[in-house]
């Protein structure tokens, strides 16, 4: 099964299975599709609870759960050089050719990319979120990103707005940034065989109930819509600090029978919640690329969303109704959605989504990025240092110092633990008979079952 | 599919669209940067253009308060050296209180007997409380050396100056716009503690009472009085500030030449150098806004 241009990729991030989320799903599904294309993919992340060591997932996907505990918001403690030995060992053992880091907020990703560059590997970075410029946290994060992206081979963003944001934050030339959006597993998110009948209209909301996802907008919008339309019902799935406000809103306007609060919905049950509704409401205040909207459209729901970040790029205009993040405007949008609802055919929408978004397409486009990355020239340490110096008057010199120390530590490691002493792992080749099993296992993963 | 195809018979490539669906756009790479790249970016939308003269006028409040604090320090110095005895201190206190009240009366639009009585009663309680507590203050720091006292006092005064709210008043005038902030409370407390430390070095109870009354009067009510003057008439505020600065410089000259030079240098720095510096570095201000910003809610969240 060996391709001529077979890549050997290491995906690094703090966010992976057993956590469920946008980045985690992206890494897993992208890795599976790359494995199908014949490349070798290894994932590296930190230990989750007792889950530490090497695990194998579907299709021969090897995951290294490096034995560090997360210390803040699922991130490992940033020790700068503490990760150098283990990353070097993994890179040599698996004979990696390219390192792919995910998510700017992941400290493990930044450290891995820094060490990979020191050791001469090609590096690709994918950014999944939007960040601001004005507050203290964002300023520091952007500086760290500038450091990592000063010497990256190629970068990927999930939407065009995200590309503009990343280019402004990191100072990368725009030609180095590729826009490859996420996709949705349409095989799992199928519409119901029959639409929920009756003259009741059900609006579904599934999101974390936090400020960032616009839970406060929901508190203003839901009573107004319930007042205007007596036949509209809401289903709210998800949990978070703002849940209390939503419960209070329910009590204040006596909407207990019209607003159903489901609490946290496990990923396996998201589809069953979605197909019980007609309209999907997304009220986030900022969103680089909203996968929830894709899942809803794949299940045949009409989407009403706030027009923020990358959301206008996600769906064609006839599948989504956009509104400003303002309660009156959102109520108008819901009104418009209810009026065009009879013209929507869920099965037709699902078929269109199958053509618009496909993980295999994403993997092919990512492969092109990998090919370009590997074609980049090898640069010596001195040439690379000039790129770091351009990062700022004080910061540039600090970054250069960090990279020089990293280089020296690497040389020391080479003397202490020579590369010849590290055993190389032989490749596992799976035959074609197991392809069907792989597809079933893929669906089983999405249903949240644990694998060996 | 969703691509627009040109009407020409010769196959020209379709226009690039800023969309994420539909896979790779035919004829364009994924890293294609269109001319519309960054067209939604808005720079420096909320930045205020500053005028040098206005900034200098605003900085007069800072130098005025600096002079007030220096005057308080001078009075402390004179009392500790017994140049000022208790009776003259008490006269000073009473005259300051009287003039403060006069200023408040003249500059407040709403004069009511009730408000005046309310203020007088508060001042009476305050003074009585201080008189009763004076013996405690006198023996408070008997076991601490003078050097420590001076060091702590100076650092507390510096903290007070750094964190002080120069635009308003911590002791709220009725009808003031915004609430005092945490830092202004911290600065007020620092000044009060500094006064207590200095007062505890004095020999007699009456001395302690007089100096405490003086310090607390100035630190608590001087910002309020200057705020009222500024609100009443800007010209009066400028005249008052310049006369205060002149008086301070005169007194410091009689004390020590070096201190005069330092104070003069500090005043020039605050009034001339800092505004110029601020306007110079405003050119580097680069505020970026665009479609990637988190949306701001237009309503208040009431919990």
């Amino acid at each position: 099964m060996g391709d001529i241009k077979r890549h050997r990729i290491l995906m690094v991030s703090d966010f992976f299975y057993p956590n469920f989320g946008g980045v985690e799903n992206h890494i897993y599904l992208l890795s599976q599709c790359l494995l199908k294309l014949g490349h070798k993919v290894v994932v590296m992340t930190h230990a989750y609870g007792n889950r530490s060591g090497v695990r194998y997932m579907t299709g021969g996907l090897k995951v290294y759960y490096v034995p560090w505990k997360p210390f803040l918001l699922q991130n490992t403690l940033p020790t700068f050089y503490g990760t150098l030995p283990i990353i070097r060992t993994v890179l040599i053992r698996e004979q990696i050719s390219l390192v792919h880091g995910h998510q700017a907020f992941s400290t493990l990703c930044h450290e891995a990319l820094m060490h990979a560059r020191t050791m001469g590997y090609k590096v690709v970075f994918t950014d999944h979120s939007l960040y601001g410029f004005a507050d203290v946290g964002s300023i520091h994060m952007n500086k760290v990103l500038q450091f990592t992206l000063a010497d990256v081979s190629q970068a990927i963003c999930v939407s065009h707005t995200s590309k503009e944001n990343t280019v402004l934050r990191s100072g990368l030339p725009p030609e180095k940034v590729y826009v490859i959006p996420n996709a949705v597993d349409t095989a799992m998110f199928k519409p119901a065989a029959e639409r929920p009948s009756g003259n009741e209209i059900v609006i579904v909301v599934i999101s974390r109930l936090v400020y960032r996802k616009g839970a406060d907008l929901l508190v203003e919008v839901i009573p107004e819509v319930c007042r205007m339309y007596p036949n509209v019902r809401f289903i709210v799935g998800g949990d978070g600090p703002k849940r209390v406000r939503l419960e209070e809103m329910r009590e204040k306007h006596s909407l207990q029978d019209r607003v159903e609060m489901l609490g946290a919905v496990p990923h396996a049950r998201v589809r069953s919640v979605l197909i019980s509704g007609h309209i999907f409401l997304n009220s986030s205040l900022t969103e680089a690329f909203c996968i929830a909207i894709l899942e809803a459209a794949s299940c045949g729901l009409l989407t009403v969303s706030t027009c923020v970040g990358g959301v206008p790029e996600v769906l064609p205009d006839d599948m989504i109704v956009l509104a400003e993040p303002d309660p009156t405007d959102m109520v108008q949008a819901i009104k418009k959605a209810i009026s065009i609802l009879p013209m929507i055919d869920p099965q037709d929408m699902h078929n269109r989504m199958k053509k618009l978004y496909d993980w295999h397409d994403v993997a092919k486009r990512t492969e092109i990025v990998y090919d370009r990355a590997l074609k980049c020239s090898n640069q010596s340490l001195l040439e690379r240092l000039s790129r770091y110096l351009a990062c700022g008057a004080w910061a540039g010199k600090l970054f250069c110092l960090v990279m020089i120390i990293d280089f020296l530590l690497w040389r020391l490691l080479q003397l202490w633990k020579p590369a010849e002493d590290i055993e190389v792992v032989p490749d596992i080749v799976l035959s074609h008979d197991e392809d069907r099993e792989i597809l079933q296992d893929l669906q089983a993963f999405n249903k949240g079952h644990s694998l060996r | 599919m969703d691509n627009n195809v040109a009407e020409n018979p010769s196959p020209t490539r379709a226009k690039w669209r800023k969309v994420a669906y539909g896979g790779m756009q035919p004829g364009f790479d994924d890293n294609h940067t269109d001319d519309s790249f960054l067209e939604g970016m808005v720079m420096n939308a909320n930045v205020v253009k500053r005028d040098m003269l206005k900034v200098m006028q605003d900085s007069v409040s800072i130098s005025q308060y600096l002079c007030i604090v220096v005057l308080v320090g001078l009075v402390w110095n004179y009392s500790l050296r017994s140049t000022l005895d208790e009776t003259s201190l008490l006269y000073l206190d009473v005259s300051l209180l009287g003039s403060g009240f006069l200023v408040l009366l003249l500059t407040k639009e709403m004069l009511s007997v009730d408000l005046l009585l309310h203020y007088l009663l508060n001042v009476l309680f305050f003074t009585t409380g201080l008189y009763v507590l004076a013996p405690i203050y006198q023996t408070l720091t008997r076991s601490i050396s003078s050097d420590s006292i001076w060091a702590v006092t100076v650092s507390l005064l510096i903290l007070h100056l750094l964190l002080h709210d120069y635009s308003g008043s911590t002791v709220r005038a009725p009808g003031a716009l915004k609430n005092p902030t945490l830092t202004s409370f911290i600065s007020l407390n620092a000044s009060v503690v500094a006064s207590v430390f200095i007062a505890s070095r004095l020999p007699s109870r009456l001395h302690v009472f007089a100096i405490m009354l003086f310090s607390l009067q100035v630190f608590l009510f001087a910002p309020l009085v200057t705020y009222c003057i500024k609100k009443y008439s800007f010209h009066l505020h400028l005249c008052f500030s310049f006369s205060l600065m002149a008086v301070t410089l005169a007194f410091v000259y009689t004390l020590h030449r070096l201190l005069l030079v330092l104070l003069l240098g500090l005043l020039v720095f605050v009034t001339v150098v800092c505004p110029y510096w601020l306007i110079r570095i405003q050119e580097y201000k680069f505020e970026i806004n665009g479609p990637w910003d988190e949306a701001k809610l237009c309503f208040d969240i009431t919990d």
Side-chain angles (χ1 to χ4, degrees):
Chain A
M1 211 165 147
D3 265 352
I4 306 167
K5 276 217 232 127
R6 192 167 181 244
H7 299 300
R8 308 169 75 87
I9 305 149
L10 176 71
M11 302 268 190
V12 185
S13 180
D14 272 309
F15 307 102
F16 195 63
Y17 182 83
N19 259 11
F20 280 98
V23 181
E24 294 87 337
N25 250 9
H26 173 104
I27 299 176
Y28 178 77
L29 290 169
L30 180 63
S31 310
Q32 289 297 331
C33 293
L34 285 169
L35 283 170
K36 283 257 185 65
L37 284 173
H39 304 290
K40 172 176 163 155
V41 182
V42 176
V43 179
M44 179 192 234
T45 181
H46 66 73
Y48 284 87
N50 281 342
R51 197 182 181 90
S52 156
V54 177
R55 296 280 201 278
Y56 286 88
M57 296 179 95
T58 321
L61 178 64
K62 188 170 182 180
V63 185
Y64 280 88
Y65 288 98
V66 177
W68 293 308
K69 291 290 161 65
F71 92 110
L72 179 69
L73 294 172
Q74 287 301 319
N75 280 321
T76 42
L77 184 69
T79 55
F80 284 101
Y81 306 113
T83 45
L84 179 59
I86 184 83
I87 288 178
R88 174 171 177 262
T89 309
V90 170
L91 288 172
I92 294 176
R93 283 193 80 205
E94 306 285 342
Q95 295 178 296
I96 300 289
S97 63
L98 187 130
V99 179
H100 188 166
H102 291 265
Q103 187 63 313
F105 200 59
S106 159
T107 48
L108 186 60
C109 162
H110 286 296
E111 289 191 15
L113 294 187
M114 170 170 92
H115 298 314
R117 275 316 277 154
T118 309
M119 296 191 260
Y121 292 90
K122 299 291 186 289
V123 150
V124 176
F125 175 77
T126 298
D127 199 0
H128 292 261
S129 309
L130 293 173
Y131 287 98
F133 297 93
D135 53 309
V136 181
S138 297
I139 295 176
H140 283 114
M141 176 68 65
N142 293 345
K143 208 66 191 174
V144 171
L145 188 71
Q146 209 181 4
F147 167 67
T148 302
L149 294 189
D151 199 20
V152 76
S153 311
Q154 306 291 346
I156 301 176
C157 284
V158 292
S159 68
H160 297 285
T161 311
S162 178
K163 173 173 173 172
E164 291 176 355
N165 186 244
T166 302
V167 164
L168 279 175
R169 275 160 55 213
S170 63
L172 266 184
E175 299 75 45
K176 255 197 178 171
V177 184
Y178 289 75
V179 176
I180 303 178
N182 288 327
V184 66
D185 188 7
T186 42
M188 186 183 156
F189 289 96
K190 282 200 171 76
E194 272 184 29
R195 227 178 173 180
S197 57
N199 57 354
E200 211 184 33
I201 298 181
V202 180
I203 303 185
V204 179
V205 179
I206 297 186
S207 78
R208 279 181 302 138
L209 299 175
V210 292
Y211 171 77
R212 224 168 167 242
K213 297 283 182 184
D216 299 298
L217 277 173
L218 282 180
V219 170
E220 304 291 323
V221 164
I222 292 180
E224 189 60 30
V225 173
C226 286
R227 193 182 58 83
M228 282 171 60
Y229 292 96
N231 62 336
V232 162
R233 211 163 50 87
F234 278 87
I235 297 181
V236 178
D239 205 351
K242 294 279 179 178
R243 188 175 174 177
V244 178
R245 287 203 75 211
L246 279 165
E247 305 269 7
E248 279 175 4
M249 178 262 310
R250 259 175 104 204
E251 304 253 329
K252 190 168 150 194
H253 299 272
S254 314
L255 295 169
Q256 284 89 341
D257 52 342
R258 298 186 60 194
V259 175
E260 193 184 333
M261 310 270 305
L262 296 176
V265 179
H267 197 245
R269 280 193 45 220
V270 166
R271 186 212 165 222
S272 52
V273 174
L274 284 174
I275 57 175
S276 65
H278 303 94
I279 296 179
F280 183 77
L281 178 61
N282 173 49
S283 56
S284 352
L285 298 179
T286 177
E287 202 70 77
F289 185 95
C290 195
I291 302 189
I293 293 180
L294 292 189
E295 294 174 352
S298 180
C299 287
L301 277 81
L302 179 63
T303 307
V304 174
S305 173
T306 42
C307 188
V308 289
V311 171
E313 308 167 22
V314 171
L315 286 178
D317 294 325
D318 50 345
M319 285 170 144
I320 186 170
V321 180
L322 292 169
E324 295 301 312
D326 172 59
T328 10
D329 217 34
M330 287 181 74
V331 170
Q332 289 299 317
I334 293 180
K335 194 165 154 188
K336 182 175 168 202
I338 292 177
S339 66
I340 64 177
L341 194 57
M343 297 179 269
I344 303 288
D345 177 23
Q347 196 58 44
D348 181 51
M349 205 186 251
H350 173 79
N351 292 338
R352 278 179 76 192
M353 283 302 289
K354 278 208 288 209
K355 293 203 205 94
L356 292 178
Y357 284 104
D358 186 17
W359 276 111
H360 295 285
D361 179 55
V362 170
K364 285 209 191 74
R365 288 157 85 175
T366 315
E367 195 184 27
I368 297 176
V369 177
Y370 292 158
D371 293 335
R372 295 263 173 86
L374 284 176
K375 286 208 191 84
C376 285
S377 55
N378 282 329
Q379 287 188 315
S380 71
L381 177 67
L382 289 176
E383 287 161 4
R384 287 172 44 228
L385 283 181
S386 63
R387 291 208 205 173
Y388 287 108
L389 267 177
C391 284
W394 293 97
K397 300 180 178 63
L398 185 65
F399 294 160
C400 280
L401 192 64
V402 168
M403 288 312 281
I404 290 172
I405 297 180
D406 202 30
F407 182 79
L408 291 172
L409 281 174
W410 175 49
R411 287 291 186 205
L412 183 68
L413 259 184
Q414 278 185 319
L415 289 172
W416 183 23
K417 282 205 174 121
E420 298 80 46
D421 290 347
I422 300 179
E423 272 186 71
V424 166
V425 170
D427 289 338
I428 307 169
V429 175
L430 291 178
S431 67
H432 274 287
D433 283 336
E434 304 191 47
D435 271 1
R436 218 181 322 119
E437 267 181 40
I438 292 172
L439 189 61
Q440 284 173 351
D441 275 349
L442 192 73
Q443 291 172 341
F445 165 75
N446 283 331
K447 288 192 171 62
H449 294 162
S450 70
L451 300 161
R452 56 190 156 106
Chain B
M1 280 272 282
D2 291 308
N3 288 327
N4 303 328
V5 183
E7 298 284 345
N8 306 355
S10 58
T12 52
R13 60 183 188 178
K15 221 162 72 76
W16 182 87
R17 292 164 76 218
K18 193 177 177 186
V19 292
Y21 51 83
M24 232 165 125
Q25 302 197 25
F28 296 100
D29 275 336
D30 278 327
N31 64 341
H32 169 80
T33 312
D34 201 47
D35 293 328
S36 63
F37 188 65
L38 286 180
E39 72 178 358
M41 178 169 82
V42 178
M43 297 206 288
N44 287 341
N46 299 330
V47 170
V48 170
K49 209 76 180 70
R50 292 183 204 275
D51 173 38
M52 177 81 169
L53 203 60
K54 175 122 195 345
V55 178
M56 280 177 74
Q57 279 176 344
D58 288 337
S59 73
V60 166
S61 322
I62 303 179
S63 19
Q64 174 201 63
Y65 192 72
L66 206 63
C67 292
I68 292 179
V69 171
V70 168
L71 281 175
V72 171
L74 277 175
V75 168
W76 286 348
N77 204 355
Y78 288 146
S79 347
L80 280 173
R81 283 201 277 171
S82 309
T83 320
L84 272 180
D85 61 336
E86 301 103 60
T87 36
S88 36
L89 262 180
L90 280 172
Y91 283 142
L92 185 62
D93 289 340
V94 172
S95 55
L96 270 180
L97 203 61
S99 48
F101 262 114
L102 204 67
V103 168
L104 275 183
L105 272 177
L106 289 177
T107 59
K108 274 239 170 305
E109 292 91 44
M110 21 158 226
L111 300 167
S112 72
V113 188
D114 255 353
L115 202 61
L116 205 60
L117 228 54
H118 177 75
Y119 278 166
L120 273 175
L121 213 61
N122 274 346
V123 169
L124 205 62
F125 280 147
F126 182 63
T127 320
T128 321
L130 263 185
Y131 188 73
V132 165
L133 288 174
I136 302 180
Y137 294 144
Q138 190 189 12
T139 57
L140 198 62
T141 60
R142 211 170 256 176
S143 56
I144 306 180
S145 74
S146 283
D147 291 339
S148 321
I149 295 285
W150 273 112
V152 171
T153 308
V154 168
S155 21
L156 280 173
L157 273 184
I158 292 179
L159 183 69
H160 168 69
L161 283 172
L162 281 175
L163 293 180
H164 187 251
D165 180 14
Y166 290 98
S167 61
S169 158
T170 314
V171 172
R172 240 171 111 203
L177 291 158
K178 34 182 194 147
N179 282 328
T181 59
L182 176 66
T183 48
S184 64
F185 280 129
I186 294 177
S187 78
L188 189 63
N189 281 320
S191 61
V192 168
V193 174
S195 336
V196 168
F197 273 0
I198 288 292
S200 63
R201 286 282 117 175
L202 289 167
S204 84
R205 238 186 310 164
L206 202 57
H207 232 140
V208 171
F209 166 65
I211 204 80
M212 275 301 291
L213 189 59
F214 169 74
S215 318
L216 285 184
Q217 255 179 272
V218 173
F219 284 127
L220 287 174
F221 299 124
L224 179 62
V225 168
T226 52
Y227 175 73
C228 287
I229 294 179
K230 195 159 83 162
K231 217 165 54 135
Y232 181 68
S233 149
F234 198 69
H235 265 107
L236 191 62
H237 165 76
L238 282 178
C239 292
F240 176 63
S241 311
F242 284 127
S243 46
L244 197 64
M245 281 193 241
V247 164
T248 315
L249 285 172
F251 274 118
V252 173
Y253 176 69
T254 57
L255 186 66
H256 202 278
R257 284 272 171 80
L258 181 62
L259 285 178
L260 172 74
V261 171
L262 278 177
L263 183 63
L264 202 59
L266 196 60
L267 286 177
V268 165
F269 181 69
V270 167
T271 320
V272 178
V273 175
C274 280
Y276 176 66
W277 198 7
L278 176 70
I279 292 182
R280 271 287 301 278
I281 60 178
Q282 275 256 301
E283 289 167 16
Y284 296 111
K285 184 122 179 138
F286 185 37
E287 198 185 63
I288 309 172
N289 288 103
W292 48 79
D293 281 334
E294 189 175 292
K296 291 231 172 0
L297 291 177
C298 52
F299 52 89
D300 288 322
I301 302 172
T302 48
D303 275 324

